Amino acid sequence: MKKKILITGGAGFIGKHICERLLNGKNYVYCLDNLYSSSLTNISPLFSKKNFEFLNHDIEKKIDINIDEIYHFACPASPVNYKLDPIKTIKTNVIGSLNILELAYKYNAKVFHSSTSEVYGDPAISPQSEKYFGNVNIIGPRSCYDEGKRCAETLFFDFHRSKKIQIKVARIFNTYGPFMQKNDGRVISNFVVQALNNKNITVYGNGKQTRSFCYIDDLIDGILKFMNTSKKITGPINLGNPHEIKIIDVAKKIIKLTNSKSKIKYLPLTKDDPLQRKPDIAKAKKILKFKPNININDGLIKTINYFKNE
Ligand code: UDP
């Protein structure tokens, strides 16, 4: 059956990939975005498709369209972007999620929510499983995003319990790949663009902080599998690649893979930057048979090739 699917944040990095995959399934896709931290160039190849519609809309305002499913991504996700206007970030997460849940309730739509590893804050345990409640600063510069996303999860589960909405809540860990915004400030796009231009690679702090990077195609597979699980599976489920790496080693790897003349430049660490991050994906493995296939070298080569042509 042809489904009517709404993708909020559809012009963003993950949203664009989801739009493409769902269009291939012959669904009718509404791509909603306010273009705050994304761009139309990401989705311009989709405009010619008959089953694709772009809605320039900010989810802080209510929306009413008859839909069967929602994928809710709308929110700036790069620390640089979400810290620019923290009050707007909170409104997007809280009021925006409320509006999306009310829409889901009205049309009895199943709704996927893109939560984040940031709900774990600067974690005191590693790896982070879904059972861990996190270590989040309530009043710091990252709190607008971290607490906003935590509150959004609460809203999703309250709507599920009280209004019986079908929800799928995923906690997405660092993801990278083609169609990341070149200048959104995230580590992989920053380092690749710097290396390709033989500019200094900006490592914040001593570079010993860790992240675990998942290639976009692996993440999209996990999201789509999750959306197709039975009603009783709500999450939260971690989605990411557990291969943990120090940021300094990411810098060195990218210099090598691009054959760059760039030097490493150390800059101060930003406040509350988590020192470690690694997903426990046992739950995703068990429930979704999720298995990231693309290792960091292969993923970086694909990403570097994309940025070379940008
Ligand atoms: N980072 C860095 N240089 C940059 C951008 C980021 O050293 O130019 C570091 C940042 O301090 C963090 C990690 O890379 O420890 C990941 O940062 P990003 O902004 O990509 O996402 P986060 O995981 O912090 O949300």
Side-chain angles (χ1 to χ4, degrees):
M1 198 190 69
K2 197 168 170 172
K3 282 184 273 190
K4 297 183 290 305
I5 306 179
L6 172 68
I7 297 150
T8 77
F13 168 47
I14 300 177
K16 174 235 157 59
H17 288 272
I18 291 279
C19 284
E20 275 181 349
R21 290 278 284 268
L22 294 175
L23 280 167
N24 286 342
K26 303 277 178 269
N27 305 293
Y28 194 91
V29 169
Y30 294 97
C31 167
L32 179 153
D33 210 296
N34 66 354
L35 304 175
Y36 181 81
S37 58
S38 56
S39 79
L40 276 187
T41 47
N42 255 2
I43 49 162
S44 53
L46 307 180
F47 281 120
S48 59
K49 303 205 183 256
K50 283 204 297 288
N51 53 341
F52 179 80
E53 201 173 316
F54 176 66
L55 307 168
N56 192 337
H57 183 89
D58 190 321
I59 52 160
E60 263 181 52
K61 297 192 195 81
K62 287 187 190 299
I63 183 152
D64 190 352
I65 30 172
N66 190 341
I67 29 89
D68 303 304
E69 285 184 1
I70 306 172
Y71 289 78
H72 178 37
F73 293 101
C75 184
S78 150
V80 173
N81 284 335
Y82 68 63
K83 287 191 252 180
L84 275 180
D85 188 347
I87 295 170
K88 181 158 185 64
T89 301
I90 297 180
K91 283 183 178 168
T92 302
N93 276 316
V94 180
I95 300 172
S97 294
L98 195 56
N99 286 337
I100 291 307
L101 284 160
E102 279 168 357
L103 180 68
Y105 180 57
K106 180 166 179 185
Y107 292 104
N108 193 23
K110 176 161 66 170
V111 52
F112 171 89
H113 175 56
S114 62
S115 189
T116 167
S117 51
E118 283 281 329
V119 299
Y120 301 123
D122 188 9
I125 61 157
S126 185
Q128 296 84 53
S129 90
E130 294 83 354
K131 290 199 181 94
Y132 181 48
F133 288 162
N135 177 32
V136 175
N137 181 354
I138 307 158
I139 56 168
R142 293 175 87 105
S143 313
C144 57
Y145 186 73
D146 300 9
E147 294 291 8
K149 285 281 187 184
R150 286 167 68 96
C151 181
E153 280 200 27
T154 310
L155 279 170
F156 269 77
F157 279 87
D158 280 333
F159 266 74
H160 171 67
R161 280 186 292 259
S162 62
K163 296 184 190 285
K164 309 285 171 260
I165 289 186
Q166 258 200 82
I167 59 163
K168 307 282 174 193
V169 176
R171 293 180 179 158
I172 299 175
F173 283 65
N174 294 67
T175 305
Y176 69 104
F179 297 99
M180 293 180 88
Q181 295 286 319
K182 201 179 188 164
N183 53 0
D184 81 354
R186 276 189 273 203
V187 66
I188 300 281
S189 44
N190 271 7
F191 286 3
V192 170
V193 173
Q194 289 161 347
L196 288 174
N197 292 299
N198 295 309
K199 297 259 169 66
N200 285 337
I201 306 280
T202 54
V203 170
Y204 304 156
N206 59 15
K208 288 189 182 153
Q209 70 271 33
T210 67
R211 293 294 186 273
S212 305
F213 294 96
C214 185
Y215 188 69
I216 183 74
D217 292 358
D218 285 331
L219 177 80
I220 303 292
D221 286 345
I223 291 174
L224 296 176
K225 276 185 181 162
F226 186 15
M227 196 59 161
N228 289 317
T229 49
S230 72
K231 261 187 182 170
K232 62 178 195 308
I233 310 286
T234 58
I237 292 186
N238 288 339
L239 289 178
N241 186 327
H243 176 76
E244 188 179 17
I245 182 167
K246 291 191 182 96
I247 293 303
I248 185 69
D249 294 333
V250 176
K252 289 178 184 163
K253 214 179 245 306
I254 290 175
I255 291 175
K256 201 166 164 202
L257 290 171
T258 50
N259 214 0
S260 173
K261 297 190 183 65
S262 294
K263 299 270 174 291
I264 287 170
K265 182 172 184 187
Y266 291 92
L267 295 175
L269 193 65
T270 58
K271 181 156 172 33
D272 294 338
D273 193 319
L275 293 181
Q276 58 177 351
R277 185 180 290 156
K278 173 185 164 93
D280 177 339
I281 58 166
K283 197 170 170 185
K285 271 189 182 158
K286 187 166 170 229
I287 297 175
L288 312 177
K289 310 271 172 282
F290 174 69
K291 185 177 168 292
N293 288 314
I294 302 179
N295 69 43
I296 187 140
N297 280 329
D298 294 347
L300 282 176
I301 291 167
K302 287 172 196 273
T303 310
I304 290 164
N305 287 338
Y306 166 77
F307 279 113
K308 266 186 192 160
N309 300 316
E310 265 303 280

Short mmCIF file of all heavy atoms in Angstrom, two decimals, residues 142-178:
data_model
loop_
_atom_site.label_atom_id
_atom_site.label_comp_id
_atom_site.label_asym_id
_atom_site.label_seq_id
_atom_site.Cartn_x
_atom_site.Cartn_y
_atom_site.Cartn_z
N ARG A 142 25.31 23.21 26.36
CA ARG A 142 24.76 22.12 25.53
C ARG A 142 23.37 21.69 26.00
O ARG A 142 22.71 20.87 25.35
CB ARG A 142 25.69 20.88 25.58
CG ARG A 142 27.04 21.08 24.93
CD ARG A 142 27.93 19.86 25.14
NE ARG A 142 27.74 18.86 24.12
CZ ARG A 142 28.60 18.62 23.12
NH1 ARG A 142 29.72 19.32 23.01
NH2 ARG A 142 28.36 17.69 22.24
N SER A 143 22.93 22.23 27.14
CA SER A 143 21.69 21.73 27.77
C SER A 143 20.46 21.96 26.90
O SER A 143 19.51 21.19 26.96
CB SER A 143 21.48 22.39 29.13
OG SER A 143 22.67 22.34 29.86
N CYS A 144 20.48 23.04 26.11
CA CYS A 144 19.31 23.32 25.26
C CYS A 144 19.02 22.12 24.37
O CYS A 144 17.86 21.78 24.13
CB CYS A 144 19.54 24.58 24.42
SG CYS A 144 21.01 24.49 23.37
N TYR A 145 20.06 21.48 23.91
CA TYR A 145 19.90 20.30 23.04
C TYR A 145 19.68 19.05 23.89
O TYR A 145 18.72 18.31 23.68
CB TYR A 145 21.14 20.17 22.17
CG TYR A 145 21.06 19.07 21.12
CD1 TYR A 145 20.27 19.22 19.99
CD2 TYR A 145 21.78 17.89 21.26
CE1 TYR A 145 20.20 18.22 19.03
CE2 TYR A 145 21.73 16.89 20.30
CZ TYR A 145 20.94 17.06 19.18
OH TYR A 145 20.88 16.07 18.23
N ASP A 146 20.58 18.84 24.86
CA ASP A 146 20.53 17.61 25.66
C ASP A 146 19.21 17.49 26.42
O ASP A 146 18.51 16.48 26.34
CB ASP A 146 21.67 17.57 26.69
CG ASP A 146 23.05 17.63 26.04
OD1 ASP A 146 23.11 17.86 24.82
OD2 ASP A 146 24.05 17.45 26.75
N GLU A 147 18.88 18.55 27.17
CA GLU A 147 17.65 18.50 27.96
C GLU A 147 16.42 18.59 27.06
O GLU A 147 15.38 18.02 27.35
CB GLU A 147 17.63 19.62 29.01
CG GLU A 147 18.70 19.46 30.09
CD GLU A 147 18.47 18.28 31.03
OE1 GLU A 147 17.57 17.46 30.80
OE2 GLU A 147 19.23 18.17 32.02
N GLY A 148 16.55 19.34 25.95
CA GLY A 148 15.45 19.42 24.98
C GLY A 148 15.12 18.05 24.44
O GLY A 148 13.96 17.64 24.37
N LYS A 149 16.16 17.29 24.08
CA LYS A 149 15.95 15.94 23.53
C LYS A 149 15.44 14.98 24.61
O LYS A 149 14.68 14.06 24.33
CB LYS A 149 17.26 15.41 22.94
CG LYS A 149 17.63 16.05 21.60
CD LYS A 149 16.83 15.44 20.45
CE LYS A 149 17.29 15.93 19.11
NZ LYS A 149 16.47 15.43 18.00
N ARG A 150 15.91 15.18 25.85
CA ARG A 150 15.43 14.32 26.95
C ARG A 150 13.94 14.58 27.17
O ARG A 150 13.14 13.65 27.32
CB ARG A 150 16.24 14.57 28.22
CG ARG A 150 17.64 13.97 28.15
CD ARG A 150 18.54 14.49 29.27
NE ARG A 150 18.13 14.03 30.58
CZ ARG A 150 18.65 12.96 31.21
NH1 ARG A 150 19.63 12.28 30.65
NH2 ARG A 150 18.24 12.62 32.40
N CYS A 151 13.55 15.86 27.18
CA CYS A 151 12.14 16.20 27.37
C CYS A 151 11.31 15.65 26.21
O CYS A 151 10.20 15.15 26.43
CB CYS A 151 12.00 17.71 27.48
SG CYS A 151 10.30 18.21 27.73
N ALA A 152 11.85 15.73 24.99
CA ALA A 152 11.12 15.19 23.83
C ALA A 152 10.87 13.70 24.02
O ALA A 152 9.76 13.21 23.76
CB ALA A 152 11.90 15.46 22.55
N GLU A 153 11.88 12.97 24.50
CA GLU A 153 11.66 11.52 24.75
C GLU A 153 10.53 11.32 25.76
O GLU A 153 9.67 10.45 25.61
CB GLU A 153 12.94 10.86 25.29
CG GLU A 153 13.95 10.52 24.22
CD GLU A 153 14.95 9.44 24.68
OE1 GLU A 153 14.62 8.61 25.56
OE2 GLU A 153 16.08 9.44 24.15
N THR A 154 10.53 12.15 26.82
CA THR A 154 9.48 12.04 27.84
C THR A 154 8.12 12.24 27.19
O THR A 154 7.17 11.47 27.43
CB THR A 154 9.70 13.10 28.94
OG1 THR A 154 11.04 13.03 29.39
CG2 THR A 154 8.75 12.88 30.11
N LEU A 155 8.02 13.26 26.34
CA LEU A 155 6.75 13.52 25.64
C LEU A 155 6.33 12.32 24.80
O LEU A 155 5.15 11.93 24.80
CB LEU A 155 6.90 14.74 24.72
CG LEU A 155 6.79 16.11 25.38
CD1 LEU A 155 7.22 17.20 24.40
CD2 LEU A 155 5.37 16.36 25.86
N PHE A 156 7.27 11.74 24.10
CA PHE A 156 6.93 10.58 23.25
C PHE A 156 6.36 9.45 24.10
O PHE A 156 5.34 8.85 23.75
CB PHE A 156 8.15 10.11 22.43
CG PHE A 156 8.21 10.79 21.09
CD1 PHE A 156 8.65 12.09 20.98
CD2 PHE A 156 7.77 10.14 19.94
CE1 PHE A 156 8.67 12.75 19.75
CE2 PHE A 156 7.79 10.77 18.71
CZ PHE A 156 8.24 12.08 18.62
N PHE A 157 7.02 9.17 25.21
CA PHE A 157 6.54 8.05 26.03
C PHE A 157 5.23 8.38 26.74
O PHE A 157 4.38 7.51 26.93
CB PHE A 157 7.64 7.56 26.98
CG PHE A 157 8.60 6.66 26.25
CD1 PHE A 157 9.69 7.18 25.56
CD2 PHE A 157 8.36 5.29 26.17
CE1 PHE A 157 10.54 6.35 24.82
CE2 PHE A 157 9.19 4.45 25.44
CZ PHE A 157 10.29 4.99 24.76
N ASP A 158 5.02 9.65 27.11
CA ASP A 158 3.73 10.02 27.72
C ASP A 158 2.59 9.93 26.71
O ASP A 158 1.49 9.47 27.05
CB ASP A 158 3.82 11.42 28.34
CG ASP A 158 4.52 11.36 29.71
OD1 ASP A 158 4.45 10.29 30.36
OD2 ASP A 158 5.15 12.35 30.10
N PHE A 159 2.84 10.34 25.47
CA PHE A 159 1.80 10.20 24.44
C PHE A 159 1.53 8.72 24.16
O PHE A 159 0.40 8.32 23.93
CB PHE A 159 2.23 10.90 23.13
CG PHE A 159 1.71 12.32 23.02
CD1 PHE A 159 2.27 13.34 23.78
CD2 PHE A 159 0.66 12.62 22.18
CE1 PHE A 159 1.80 14.64 23.70
CE2 PHE A 159 0.17 13.92 22.09
CZ PHE A 159 0.74 14.93 22.84
N HIS A 160 2.58 7.93 24.18
CA HIS A 160 2.40 6.49 23.95
C HIS A 160 1.55 5.87 25.05
O HIS A 160 0.59 5.13 24.79
CB HIS A 160 3.78 5.82 23.89
CG HIS A 160 3.71 4.33 23.86
ND1 HIS A 160 3.18 3.63 22.80
CD2 HIS A 160 4.08 3.40 24.78
CE1 HIS A 160 3.24 2.34 23.06
NE2 HIS A 160 3.78 2.17 24.25
N ARG A 161 1.89 6.22 26.32
CA ARG A 161 1.15 5.62 27.44
C ARG A 161 -0.28 6.14 27.53
O ARG A 161 -1.22 5.38 27.74
CB ARG A 161 1.88 5.90 28.76
CG ARG A 161 3.04 4.97 29.01
CD ARG A 161 3.63 5.18 30.40
NE ARG A 161 4.27 6.49 30.50
CZ ARG A 161 5.59 6.68 30.42
NH1 ARG A 161 6.39 5.66 30.30
NH2 ARG A 161 6.09 7.89 30.51
N SER A 162 -0.46 7.45 27.35
CA SER A 162 -1.79 7.99 27.60
C SER A 162 -2.68 8.02 26.37
O SER A 162 -3.89 8.01 26.49
CB SER A 162 -1.70 9.38 28.23
OG SER A 162 -1.07 10.25 27.33
N LYS A 163 -2.09 8.08 25.17
CA LYS A 163 -2.94 8.18 23.97
C LYS A 163 -2.71 7.03 22.99
O LYS A 163 -3.21 7.04 21.88
CB LYS A 163 -2.66 9.52 23.27
CG LYS A 163 -3.07 10.73 24.13
CD LYS A 163 -2.88 12.02 23.39
CE LYS A 163 -3.03 13.22 24.28
NZ LYS A 163 -4.42 13.53 24.64
N LYS A 164 -1.90 6.08 23.44
CA LYS A 164 -1.69 4.84 22.66
C LYS A 164 -1.08 5.07 21.28
O LYS A 164 -1.32 4.31 20.33
CB LYS A 164 -3.01 4.04 22.49
CG LYS A 164 -3.76 3.80 23.78
CD LYS A 164 -3.10 2.71 24.60
CE LYS A 164 -3.69 2.59 25.99
NZ LYS A 164 -2.95 3.22 27.06
N ILE A 165 -0.30 6.12 21.14
CA ILE A 165 0.37 6.37 19.86
C ILE A 165 1.50 5.36 19.68
O ILE A 165 2.19 5.01 20.64
CB ILE A 165 0.97 7.79 19.86
CG1 ILE A 165 -0.16 8.80 19.77
CG2 ILE A 165 1.92 8.01 18.69
CD1 ILE A 165 0.33 10.18 19.62
N GLN A 166 1.68 4.92 18.43
CA GLN A 166 2.79 4.00 18.12
C GLN A 166 4.07 4.80 17.98
O GLN A 166 4.18 5.61 17.03
CB GLN A 166 2.52 3.33 16.78
CG GLN A 166 2.01 1.93 16.90
CD GLN A 166 2.24 1.21 15.58
OE1 GLN A 166 3.32 0.72 15.32
NE2 GLN A 166 1.22 1.16 14.76
N ILE A 167 5.03 4.59 18.86
CA ILE A 167 6.27 5.37 18.80
C ILE A 167 7.48 4.45 18.60
O ILE A 167 7.48 3.29 19.00
CB ILE A 167 6.49 6.22 20.07
CG1 ILE A 167 6.56 5.34 21.33
CG2 ILE A 167 5.41 7.29 20.22
CD1 ILE A 167 7.17 6.02 22.54
N LYS A 168 8.51 5.05 17.97
CA LYS A 168 9.79 4.35 17.77
C LYS A 168 10.88 5.39 18.11
O LYS A 168 11.13 6.30 17.32
CB LYS A 168 9.96 3.92 16.31
CG LYS A 168 8.80 3.11 15.74
CD LYS A 168 8.83 1.66 16.19
CE LYS A 168 7.60 0.92 15.73
NZ LYS A 168 7.46 -0.38 16.41
N VAL A 169 11.47 5.25 19.29
CA VAL A 169 12.46 6.25 19.73
C VAL A 169 13.87 5.67 19.60
O VAL A 169 14.20 4.68 20.27
CB VAL A 169 12.18 6.68 21.19
CG1 VAL A 169 13.26 7.64 21.69
CG2 VAL A 169 10.80 7.32 21.30
N ALA A 170 14.68 6.30 18.74
CA ALA A 170 16.07 5.84 18.57
C ALA A 170 17.03 6.89 19.11
O ALA A 170 16.82 8.09 18.92
CB ALA A 170 16.36 5.60 17.09
N ARG A 171 18.06 6.43 19.79
CA ARG A 171 19.13 7.34 20.24
C ARG A 171 20.29 7.21 19.26
O ARG A 171 21.00 6.19 19.26
CB ARG A 171 19.56 6.99 21.66
CG ARG A 171 18.44 7.27 22.65
CD ARG A 171 18.82 6.94 24.07
NE ARG A 171 17.70 7.27 24.95
CZ ARG A 171 17.53 6.75 26.15
NH1 ARG A 171 18.41 5.88 26.62
NH2 ARG A 171 16.50 7.11 26.89
N ILE A 172 20.43 8.23 18.44
CA ILE A 172 21.40 8.19 17.35
C ILE A 172 22.75 8.71 17.81
O ILE A 172 22.84 9.82 18.35
CB ILE A 172 20.85 9.01 16.15
CG1 ILE A 172 19.52 8.39 15.66
CG2 ILE A 172 21.88 9.10 15.02
CD1 ILE A 172 18.83 9.18 14.57
N PHE A 173 23.78 7.91 17.60
CA PHE A 173 25.16 8.31 17.94
C PHE A 173 25.79 8.99 16.70
O PHE A 173 25.21 8.98 15.63
CB PHE A 173 25.97 7.08 18.39
CG PHE A 173 25.64 6.67 19.81
CD1 PHE A 173 24.37 6.20 20.14
CD2 PHE A 173 26.59 6.77 20.82
CE1 PHE A 173 24.07 5.84 21.45
CE2 PHE A 173 26.29 6.41 22.13
CZ PHE A 173 25.03 5.94 22.45
N ASN A 174 26.99 9.54 16.88
CA ASN A 174 27.63 10.32 15.81
C ASN A 174 27.56 9.60 14.46
O ASN A 174 27.96 8.44 14.35
CB ASN A 174 29.10 10.58 16.16
CG ASN A 174 29.23 11.49 17.37
OD1 ASN A 174 28.87 11.10 18.47
ND2 ASN A 174 29.73 12.68 17.16
N THR A 175 27.06 10.31 13.49
CA THR A 175 26.87 9.76 12.14
C THR A 175 27.56 10.68 11.14
O THR A 175 27.60 11.89 11.34
CB THR A 175 25.36 9.66 11.84
OG1 THR A 175 24.75 8.89 12.88
CG2 THR A 175 25.10 8.97 10.52
N TYR A 176 28.08 10.08 10.07
CA TYR A 176 28.79 10.91 9.09
C TYR A 176 28.58 10.31 7.70
O TYR A 176 28.13 9.16 7.56
CB TYR A 176 30.30 10.96 9.42
CG TYR A 176 30.99 9.64 9.19
CD1 TYR A 176 31.79 9.42 8.07
CD2 TYR A 176 30.79 8.56 10.06
CE1 TYR A 176 32.39 8.19 7.83
CE2 TYR A 176 31.38 7.33 9.83
CZ TYR A 176 32.18 7.15 8.72
OH TYR A 176 32.74 5.93 8.48
N GLY A 177 28.95 11.10 6.70
CA GLY A 177 28.84 10.60 5.33
C GLY A 177 28.49 11.72 4.37
O GLY A 177 28.38 12.88 4.78
N PRO A 178 28.30 11.37 3.10
CA PRO A 178 27.94 12.36 2.09
C PRO A 178 26.67 13.12 2.48
O PRO A 178 25.77 12.56 3.08
CB PRO A 178 27.70 11.53 0.83
CG PRO A 178 28.53 10.30 1.04
CD PRO A 178 28.50 10.04 2.51
#
